[in-house]
Each structure stands twice: as C-alpha cells, then as structure tokens.
C-alpha cells in the first residue's frame, strides 16, 4: 500500500481519557528527528462504528490501488478529497520521544495503512496516548475519455476536427435563432424610449418644511410625499405614484444593462444627463465621455438636438450626486471603444470631430477606405460534440458591428462588473493593470485547491505528445484549477519551477519554425506568424496543435507565467478584438503592402491586368486562391479597386489562416474571460504574455547606426545624447519595451543581443536613428521593417521627452498623431 505522509492534528490524552487539548499542525518536511512506531490493535483504535470503518477501508483501498496504477502513466489527473470525511485514531507516543519531535505511526489495517507523521505536543511524553484527527485521503483519478475531440462548426472535418453531430447542430441552431431574436428586440427597443409616466401636481401644505412628509390622495390612493429641498409651503410639486416610480427605475436599470441582482455590491447606478449634439438624428448614435469612459448613446425617437437625455451607468463611487450633467470633451478622430447604454455591451465606434463638438459616430461606409475602414474579429461560441471542448465560428466584420460583454459571469452570478473593469482600464501603469488582472484570476476565477486540483505527469522524452494528451482531456473548469507538474522518472517536487519550465519548453517547441506551425514574419524574425500551410506539415492534427497552444497561452496568462514566442501585431489585436486596418498589412509583409498601396496612384488600373486572386506558395508549390467567388475571371478596375484592396486585407489578416486562428482563440478563451482583456492594448498584451524583456541599454547603444541629420556626428550629436539619456535614465522597463515595440514591431530581443537584429529581408540590420527636420514630422515615427526610428531634431530635451512619450504611447490607440 502507498505511504501517505501528513502532519495531523494530535490531542494529548492519558490512558483512555483526554486530559488536554494541545493541537498543533505543520505542513512540509520537519527538521526534527522522526521515529517510527507501528500501532497495533491494542495501541490504535478508531472512534467510529465498525460498519463505517469497514466501508471507509474498502473505499480507501480501492482508491489507493487506482492511484498506484494510474500515477505511473503520463496524463492529467484530478486530485480531490475523499467523501468519507476525517478519521479519528488513538495512538501511543513511542518511548524516548520528546515534546516538539516528530514520530510516525501506521494508521489502518493490513493493506490499507497510512503513514502519519505526528508532532509530539508540548505537555506529552513517550508512553502517553494521543487522539489523532486525520484528514481524508486525497483521491487521484485519471481524466476519463482521453482527449476531447474538436468539433467543426462549418460542416467540414480534417486537421483533427470531426463533423458536428445532428443533435448538437440542432441545439446550436436554436441558440442562434434565440440570439438573433434578442438582438432584433434590442435594436427595435433601443430607439423607442418608454412612454413618459403620468405625473400629478400637488400643493405643499402650510407648515411643511423641506424634509417633512405630508399625505395626499392621488388616483384613488393615499401617498406620503417628502418635501424636497428648496420647496416651501404653498408651492406646486409634481409627483408620480410608487408603482410608476418602480417601473421607471426598472426601465432605467434595463437601459443600463443591469439590475439589482446582478450589480456588484460595491457598485451603484449613476444617472447621467447630456444634451444631444447638433446634427444627430433620432435613432442615430453619438459618443461622449461619462465617468471617464467612452459611452455610446442612441438618440430616442422623440428627442431632437439640443434636448437632454438621461442614462444609467454602474459606478464604484457611491458619493456622486444623483444626476451628473455631462459636457463634451474633445474626442480625436479614430476608433474608440465605447459602452452601449442600451445593453451594456462594449463596442467599437469611429468618432469624428469637425471642430464644432460634433461627436456623432461615423458609421462605416459600404465602400472600403484604406484610411478609415476597419474590421474586428467576431467569434461566436457554439456547443461541441464533447462538452469539454466547445467550438465556434470566426469571421471578420466591420469594427462597429462587433460587441462583447462588459462583465464576467460564473454560474449566473456576476463576479466582475463593468464599473470595476472601467476603473482598471483607467490605471495608467501597465504593472497596475497586470496586478489587477492577476488578482481577478487568482482570487475570483481560480478553483480553490481543496475543491480539486490537477496533477500533470509527463515524460521529458515525449514532452509535446504527453502534454497535448493531458491538456486536451481537460474541461474549461479544469483549466482554471491549480496545476502541479511532474516529469516521470525525475525526483522533483513542483513548487513553481517545474511549471515555469513546462511553459517554456512547450511553447519553444510549438513556435519553432521546424514544427511547420509558425513562420517568422517577413519584416521581423522575432515576430511569428501562423503558417498558412500548417496542414501540409501536420495534415491529421494541425488544428489540435493550435487549440492546445491557445489553451497553454491562456493558462500561462491565468497563472502569471510567460510563453516563449512573440507573435505579429495583428494576432494580438485579434485576441483583444481590436480593429484591423489596411495599415496592419505593412508589418507582416511591407513589400506586398506597398505594392497594393501603389495601385491607388494609377490612373487606369486595368493596365496592370490584375484579377481577384492571390498566388500562395506552399512549401515551394504555387497555388492560386480566389479572393472572391470566381475571382480568376474578374478583372480589377478603377471601380472595384476598393473591393480588391478590402478582400486582400481580409485574406492576409484572417482568411488564409482562419481555421488555425479560430482554434487558437477558442483555446485561449477556454481559460480567459474576454471582458478582462479590455483593460489592455495590444502592446500591453504582448508584454503580459511574453514578459518585460531584459534590455541591455549599452548593447542597444553599441549596435545602433545613425543616418540623416545624425550621420555626421553620430552618437555625439546633442539630440542623440538626449535620446539615450531619456531611455537609460528616465524610462522604466515598460517604456523601454514600448519603445522597442514602436521601432521594431515586437518587444522581443534576439538571444545574442542587438548585434543580430534582422530586417524584413532576413539580413542583419542594426537599430537605426535617422535625424529629420521637424517640418517633416513633429513626432518620432518608426519603420519597423528596417528597425529604424525617424527622430526630429528638437531644440530641447524636454520637447524630445514629451514627443517621444506621446509617440510610443499613442502607437497602440489607432489615432493619428501627425
């Protein structure tokens, strides 16, 4: 039988009766000498009835047998406490044991004994008797059913996916229909405000002062009215019945997307009032700032510009006035995240300000515009064949048509509300946001140790195979449990080191280009992109690898670990659900981006003899892909050029790797609730997943070239010296990492330092500072494909510091800083 080693509760007793209650408990290995004693039938007796003891012994023996057999094999094991409860034993302290020393006793009958380590209480001696309360044994069981299969949501199989079962498909169709009906009801009600309540005019009686109550008869019922502040006897007062007030409150709560049962106890509802801006028509949305957050309001049908509208938002500050009157703030042109007051969903909108405080939402036009059009990924979750592994449908939709929840729910209960997420979003420092995120994962989402944890056993020689078998057998609930790792055949206890090593080794293998799943981007060898031809490398299971990696990345973020792979920028945007624009094509493939952009300058595009196809190269073999239906037979003309640019952007940003990206996102969201990610930008997400890099400033300076206005003096130029002084003496780790992201496209540093920094052609290209005049650009600008930053020649160090900070902090907002 296995030997279980615990430090249990001991109660001192003399003879057959307890005389004192000295209880001590210690966890871990004792430094005191241990002696071993075997409790015979005369020395140990259970204070439970015989039938219960027999049942418990049988269950314990069975579980021990399972544990002995199962734990010798690789896999994922769920560890929980047995149901039999604590057991009480009576044992004699061996002779010679002194207070504070530890001794061992064997509790239980033949074939079902447990080795229990006991610390001798202060007032006990050898020969005395102790009463032991032993906690229930841990039950370890293998995850039954093996790996959960991936379900195809499109009806196609392959790559590790199977077709969706007919009964599952039927349930998903019903769910989709319900979602459509709910959205239609929301859209029809969002512009139709509730009918105004009936009000009654009463006169305040004589002798009544503010704060005092008086009785009135209204609509056949008697009511008590409290005289408001500022109202005196003889003045008229407009009132509503209690039923109407309750209906009004419910309506307001409904428009705020919450109710008393779902609102966190630490938040309250705050009413805001705003004047509808000029040019906004009934039914049209406009954006403004409320409580520090951008809010999307739909103008009701009976409201015109210049009139006031009110809405509710949950806030964490309960000391606010009953109604806040909002004034418009300057909102720069660009895509911004807003909260819809109709359903408390988070949505992207493109704001426009023409100098007259017009903050109405600029709806995305049907014609593609390389400067203004943007798209976001939309992931709709569906039930899979296996309840442990849901599936989903991924698509790229106009940015203003995608929305996500603003709160996190679990078992129908809200555990993180919008007000708390909004407060975390307002945190300026990345470290503060990361600390908040880890607190939520650790204290509210993680399954407590005693409720069950996971033991992951793997063989180092079969690391990837065993890891996939284990992780892909887990449910989303198991993904949020505490994991402990063991490399079979190695003597080591996981106190955090094995976990870090596992995440490092697994992600290193998956991101290795030799695996065929990922490739270095054309512009930066440190940033990896999904291989469109991964199916050729792993035809039977390449999608399983991406689902597995998504789960590993999500679990790493959840546990505060890091992964050994940086991705191209638009993949971080896809995880966050950020808008993808035409400019995002530049980083993964600058040459193709420039060739597409040059088409806009041609007078007659038909001279290029282009059609709606793209030539893919799959491991040396060319393959023609239709970008639209029958694209090889559709010529590109001046009229359909916007469509040609649009479908090219969609293809390169998603379509060519949609199956792989779909599984990567599904795996990631098996662990991380999407609303929690709204506090980060895509640069912060990379830092959170990959860690803040250790940047050697001296190495950075040593391998830097100087061009333009700095070419003659190089590092001796005054502006260059200011630059390095700011970076080395004033910037913290986060700001240095953001500068590296701004100038090279990733926060990753080559293992051999800046001397081997590569450009888009794969050749060594050092970091470069190019001096330019301020009339060319007021702010620093970057060329990530060439690891170059254009630095204007500023007249003061303060000006350089200010403009450099704006440049690196604004590069993630989507706003134009020119």
């Amino acid at each position: 039988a296995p030997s279980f080693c615990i430090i249990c509760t001991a109660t001192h007793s003399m003879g057959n009766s307890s005389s004192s209650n000295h209880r001590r408990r210690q966890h871990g290995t004792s430094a005191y000498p241990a002696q071993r004693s075997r409790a015979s039938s005369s020395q140990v007796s259970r204070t439970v009835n015989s039938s219960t003891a027999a049942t418990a012994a049988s269950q314990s023996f069975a579980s021990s047998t399972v544990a002995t057999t199962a734990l010798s094999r690789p896999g994922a094991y769920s560890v929980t406490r047995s149901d039999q409860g604590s057991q009480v034993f009576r044992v004699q302290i061996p002779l010679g044991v002194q207070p504070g020393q530890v001794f061992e006793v064997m509790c239980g009958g033949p074939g079902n004994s447990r080795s229990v380590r006991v610390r001798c209480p202060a007032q006990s001696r050898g020969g005395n008797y102790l009463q032991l309360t032993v906690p229930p044994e841990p039950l370890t069981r293998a995850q039954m059913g093996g790996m959960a299969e991936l379900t195809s949501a499109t009806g196609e199989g392959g790559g590790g996916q199977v077709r969706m079962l007919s009964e599952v498909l039927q349930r998903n169709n019903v769910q989709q229909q319900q979602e459509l009906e709910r959205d239609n009801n929301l859209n029809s009600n969002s512009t139709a405000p509730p009918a105004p309540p009936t009000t009654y005019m009463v006169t305040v009686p004589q002798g009544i002062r503010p704060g005092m109550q008086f009785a009135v008869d209204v609509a056949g019922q008697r009511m008590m009215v409290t005289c408001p502040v500022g109202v005196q006897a003889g003045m008229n007062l407009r009132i509503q019945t209690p039923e109407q007030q309750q209906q009004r409150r419910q309506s307001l709560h409904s428009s705020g997307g919450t109710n008393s049962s779902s609102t966190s106890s630490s938040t309250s509802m705050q009413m805001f009032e705003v004047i509808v801006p000029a040019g906004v028509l009934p039914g049209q949305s406009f954006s403004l700032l409320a409580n520090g957050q951008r809010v999307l309001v739909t103008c009701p049908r009976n409201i015109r510009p210049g009139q006031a509208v009110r809405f509710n938002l949950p806030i964490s500050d309960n000391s606010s006035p009953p109604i806040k009157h909002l004034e418009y703030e300057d909102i720069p042109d660009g895509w911004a995240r807003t909260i819809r007051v109709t359903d408390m969903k988070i949505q992207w909108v493109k704001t426009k300000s023409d100098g007259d405080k017009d903050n109405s939402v600029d709806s995305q036009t049907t014609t593609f515009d390389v400067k203004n059009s943007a798209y976001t990924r939309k992931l709709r979750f569906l039930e899979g064949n296996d309840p442990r592994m849901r599936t989903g449908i991924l698509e790229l939709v106009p940015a203003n048509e995608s929305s996500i929840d603003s709160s996190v729910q679990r078992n129908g209960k809200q555990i993180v509300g919008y007000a708390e997420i909004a407060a975390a979003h307002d945190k300026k420092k990345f470290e503060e946001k990361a600390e908040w995120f880890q607190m939520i994962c650790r204290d509210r989402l993680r399954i407590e140790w005693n409720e069950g944890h996971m033991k992951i056993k793997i063989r180092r020689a079969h690391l990837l195979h065993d890891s996939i078998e284990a992780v892909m057998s887990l449910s989303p609930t198991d993904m949020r449990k505490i994991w402990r790792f063991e490399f079979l055949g190695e003597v080591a206890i996981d106190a955090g080191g094995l976990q870090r090593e596992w995440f490092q080794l697994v992600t290193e293998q998956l991101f290795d280009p030799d695996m065929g799943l990922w490739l270095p981007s054309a512009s930066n060898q440190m940033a990896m992109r999904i291989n469109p031809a991964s199916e050729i490398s792993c035809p039977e299971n390449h999608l399983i690898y991406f689902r597995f990696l998504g789960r590993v990345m999500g679990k790493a973020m959840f546990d505060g670990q890091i992964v050994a792979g940086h991705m191209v920028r638009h993949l971080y945007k896809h995880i966050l659900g950020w808008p993808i624009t035409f400019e995002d094509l530049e980083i993964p493939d600058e040459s193709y981006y420039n060739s597409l952009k040059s088409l806009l300058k041609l007078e007659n595009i038909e001279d290029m003899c282009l059609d709606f196809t793209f030539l893919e190269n799959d491991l040396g073999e060319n393959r023609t892909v239709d970008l639209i239906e029958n694209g090889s037979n559709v010529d590109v003309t001046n009229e359909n050029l916007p469509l040609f640019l649009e479908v090219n952007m969609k293809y390169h940003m998603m379509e060519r790797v949609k199956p792989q990206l779909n599984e990567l996102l599904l795996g990631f969201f098996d662990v991380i609730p999407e609303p929690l990610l709204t506090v980060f930008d895509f640069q912060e997400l990379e830092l959170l997943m990959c860690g803040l890099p250790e940047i050697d400033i001296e190495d950075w300076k040593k391998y830097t070239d100087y061009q333009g206005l700095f070419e003659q003096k190089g590092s001796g130029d005054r502006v260059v010296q200011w630059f390095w002084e700011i970076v080395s003496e004033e910037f913290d780790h986060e700001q240095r990492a953001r500068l590296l992201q701004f100038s090279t496209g990733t926060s990753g540093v080559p293992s051999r330092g800046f001397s081997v920094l590569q450009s888009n052609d794969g050749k060594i290209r050092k970091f470069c500072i190019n001096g330019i005049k301020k009339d060319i650009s007021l702010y620093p600008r970057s060329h990530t494909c060439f690891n170059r930053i254009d630095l204007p020649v500023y007249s003061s160090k303060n000006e350089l510091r200010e403009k450099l900070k704006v440049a690196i902090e604004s590069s993630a907002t989507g706003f134009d800083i020119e």
Side-chain angles (χ1 to χ4, degrees), residues 1-52:
S3 176
F4 298 91
C5 184
I6 60 175
I7 300 292
C8 68
T9 301
T11 302
H12 173 80
S13 64
M14 297 294 293
N16 294 324
S17 61
S18 298
S19 61
S20 61
N21 291 319
H22 298 285
R23 297 175 182 264
R24 300 247 179 130
R25 182 175 296 177
Q26 176 175 318
H27 302 279
T29 303
S30 172
Y32 295 94
Q35 300 186 29
R36 193 177 187 88
S37 170
R38 182 153 189 89
S40 64
S41 59
S42 61
Q43 294 173 318
V44 178
S45 61
R46 297 189 184 184
T47 57
V48 293
N49 62 60
S50 59
S51 62
T52 303

Side-chain angles (χ1 to χ4, degrees), residues 563-583:
V563 298
H566 296 261
M567 300 183 295
V568 290
R569 184 176 71 181
H570 69 272
L571 291 182
Y572 292 110
K573 286 189 172 185
H574 280 319
I575 294 176
L576 293 176
W578 271 50
I580 300 294
T581 65
F582 186 76
E583 299 294 327

